[in-house]
Amino acid sequence: MTEGKPFNIDLGLLKSREKDRSPQALEKVDRAGEELGFVGRDAQKRRGRRPSPRTGQVHAKVMPEVSEDIANEAKRRGVQQGVIIEEAWALYKNKSGI
């Protein structure tokens, strides 16, 4: 066996250096990165689908025949079922004077 601890590190011997953050150094690093194909530091736009303006969810329980009628009408017109419900609500509001 060897004397002392083989994996013992004297932290006092470790030294750290401050990075050069001058505009010239950053420009040099950015230019080198662009030449190598790295992306810029600028903030990127959010990727993915845009959020839908229809964020309110209605979990309506309806009788099976009503559900089938709504689904069939939506399919026939090529719209989502929520559009049918929105139109039905608008008709109700107009009729009742809300």
Side-chain angles (χ1 to χ4, degrees):
M1 289 276 158
T2 60
E3 290 186 11
K5 297 177 183 173
F7 296 106
N8 191 16
I9 297 173
D10 184 6
L11 297 178
L13 297 176
L14 296 177
K15 296 182 181 180
S16 64
R17 294 183 293 155
E18 189 68 29
K19 290 184 179 180
D20 185 9
R21 296 175 193 253
S22 67
Q24 296 85 8
L26 289 177
E27 184 180 333
K28 180 180 174 184
V29 170
D30 286 342
R31 195 174 332 109
E34 287 174 7
E35 289 174 4
L36 294 172
F38 290 96
V39 296
R41 297 173 185 244
D42 299 332
Q44 301 293 322
K45 289 184 177 179
R46 289 192 59 171
R47 296 170 53 185
R49 290 176 50 179
R50 293 185 180 184
S52 170
R54 290 184 166 95
T55 57
Q57 292 186 345
V58 177
H59 300 282
K61 279 191 173 182
V62 296
M63 298 302 285
E65 62 274 2
V66 175
S67 174
E68 290 174 13
D69 289 344
I70 292 172
N72 290 336
E73 180 64 14
K75 194 179 296 181
R76 183 184 72 77
R77 292 176 42 194
V79 297
Q80 298 291 321
Q81 293 179 13
V83 173
I84 305 297
I85 295 171
E86 288 172 357
E87 291 173 353
W89 180 251
L91 288 172
Y92 170 77
K93 283 174 50 174
N94 287 339
K95 184 177 180 181
S96 63
I98 293 178

